[in-house]
Amino acid sequence: GEDNVLRALNLGDSVCLVLRDGAVAARTREIIHFFDCPYQLGDDSPDRPKDGTTLQAEIFPGDIIVAGSDGVFDNLSDADVCDIVGSFGPKAKATQIAKKI
């Protein structure tokens, strides 16, 4: 938006990170009912969007936003993601970074 604030809603075990200067500046919180049972939307699910967690983070030029499912974050730590993103130069395309992650 025009106010440089990222607003994200997270439901389940997906993650959204804001990376700044090689470190995590903001992170959504994962929510699960119990191990291997994340909140999720579906016809048979009692979970609703209002059950999600929200993130509001001011973003600055040069910040990198990484969003991924549990397929990424069950296998990579936040530090791993920072290292991978940091291995690319400032002119790297998002698709190059995504393929590496």
Side-chain angles (χ1 to χ4, degrees):
E2 296 177 10
D3 60 358
N4 294 333
V5 175
L6 170 68
R7 292 172 182 82
L9 172 70
N10 188 56
L11 186 81
D13 54 359
S14 296
V15 173
C16 179
L17 298 175
V18 178
L19 305 182
R20 180 176 305 130
D21 299 323
V24 176
R27 186 186 203 281
T28 56
R29 187 172 55 88
E30 302 164 68
I31 54 172
I32 61 172
H33 293 285
F34 50 86
F35 177 75
D36 210 24
C37 185
Y39 280 54
Q40 56 189 333
L41 300 177
D43 291 338
D44 295 332
S45 174
D47 305 327
R48 299 291 173 249
K50 67 180 178 68
D51 299 324
T53 60
T54 59
L55 171 71
Q56 290 192 36
E58 187 173 6
I59 54 174
F60 298 93
D63 283 357
I64 298 172
I65 299 166
V66 178
S69 70
D70 63 325
V72 172
F73 289 96
D74 281 355
N75 295 292
L76 297 173
S77 68
D78 292 358
D80 292 334
V81 173
C82 288
D83 289 345
I84 291 168
V85 170
S87 72
F88 287 87
K91 302 288 185 186
K93 295 187 183 297
T95 54
Q96 293 173 305
I97 298 171
K99 285 179 183 178
K100 181 74 173 183
I101 290 174

